[in-house]
Amino acid sequence: MTAKRIIPCLDVKDGRVVKGVNFVNLTDAGDPVETAVAYEKAGADEIVFLDITASVRGAETVAETVMRVAERLAVPLSVGGGIRTASDATAILRAGADKVSINTAAIHSPDLINTLADKFGSQCVVVAIDAAKEGDGYRVYSKGGKAREDLDALEWAFEAQKRGAGEILLTSIDRDGTNKGFECELTKLVSDSLNIPVIASGGAGEMSHFADAFEIAHADAALAASVFHFGKIHIAELKKYLDGRGVFVRI
């Protein structure tokens, strides 16, 4: 049995960790290096670093911050933001990241998934999918949740897996930053349909929400930001809670 993972997410803007609601109204939440180190000490299984200004700053600039974070960590580091080419991914991985996460670039150039999987291995390739409820399904959005795409979330997840993605980072735009709980319907739909790990993201507000992500939605990992950044939930306590619920986690 594979242990379920708890993953803090560092959304970084201009070199600072930030957090918002529904992808907007950003507030400062600290230095990325110190924040990542603190999470590792607290028991995080992995760190996700998303540079939300990378589309402007470029991957090389992002790599400088990644290097500062990676050299202080032992747990895996997944990095996203501004990765459009194999060269961009190479810069991020050379800086110390264990995985690269692609979103908008993968939507507009799906062959990028194949290219990265062939070059670095599927284990290094995370496809991030931002989705919102629409009718009876879920629609994919790009550009940080700002642009609606003509893609069904489940169909796109299937294609990403087929092209070589090793993992899906699935974020509910509707739940992002709301603390109302993960979108279990969406997460279960994707988790039960794919053969690769799915990370639930968007909406964590209390410990029971993480249990729901694992027990109801069958996620392989659960990612959160604000509840960790602002001390509402401590990772060590969360893991003890999940262990008490019978969820297999590393303590």
Side-chain angles (χ1 to χ4, degrees), residues 7-251:
I7 305 176
C9 178
L10 310 184
D11 291 316
V12 178
K13 180 179 186 291
D14 299 326
R16 298 288 294 178
V17 179
V18 295
K19 188 55 193 153
V21 177
N22 305 123
F23 286 19
V24 296
N25 300 323
L26 302 177
T27 57
D28 188 277
D31 174 73
V33 178
E34 297 308 319
T35 303
V37 169
Y39 283 143
E40 180 179 53
K41 290 179 179 178
D45 297 296
E46 188 172 327
I47 302 291
V48 166
F49 176 110
L50 299 177
D51 195 302
I52 62 176
T53 52
S55 59
V56 176
R57 299 168 64 217
E60 291 290 346
T61 304
V62 175
E64 296 173 10
T65 305
V66 171
M67 186 176 296
R68 292 196 300 118
V69 175
E71 66 184 9
R72 298 277 300 276
L73 293 180
V75 297
L77 175 65
S78 178
V79 177
I83 299 171
R84 303 185 188 89
T85 65
S87 295
D88 292 337
T90 298
I92 296 301
L93 292 169
R94 282 180 176 169
D98 299 278
K99 307 174 188 178
V100 290
S101 177
I102 52 176
N103 188 330
T104 299
I107 293 170
H108 296 162
S109 301
D111 286 346
L112 178 62
I113 303 172
N114 305 70
T115 299
L116 297 184
D118 290 344
K119 185 177 179 66
F120 304 113
S122 291
Q123 77 283 351
C124 289
V125 183
V126 179
V127 171
I129 299 176
D130 299 331
K133 183 76 173 178
E134 186 175 299
D136 294 329
Y138 293 88
R139 183 64 50 182
V140 173
Y141 282 71
S142 63
K143 298 181 180 178
K146 297 180 177 65
R148 179 185 180 279
E149 299 287 343
D150 188 23
L151 284 174
D152 174 79
L154 180 58
E155 292 176 1
W156 175 229
F158 262 124
E159 182 173 353
Q161 175 181 261
K162 182 178 179 180
R163 287 178 175 275
E167 196 163 36
I168 299 294
L169 171 53
L170 184 62
T171 301
S172 166
I173 296 174
D174 302 316
R175 298 296 183 94
D176 177 69
T178 65
N179 298 145
K180 294 179 180 179
F182 294 102
E183 174 56 274
C184 287
E185 179 183 331
L186 167 64
T187 306
K188 184 177 187 299
L189 178 67
V190 177
S191 296
D192 287 354
S193 301
L194 301 188
N195 298 319
I196 57 176
V198 173
I199 304 171
S201 171
E206 54 189 66
M207 292 193 211
S208 64
H209 294 157
F210 289 85
D212 290 343
F214 298 132
E215 296 170 348
I216 298 173
H218 305 157
D220 297 275
L223 176 147
S226 60
V227 291
F228 296 144
H229 296 341
F230 303 127
K232 184 174 181 180
I233 294 177
H234 297 282
I235 295 175
E237 294 176 4
L238 171 59
K239 286 191 165 186
K240 289 180 181 179
Y241 167 81
L242 291 170
D243 183 62
R245 290 275 297 253
V247 177
F248 178 41
V249 291
R250 295 186 185 90
I251 297 179

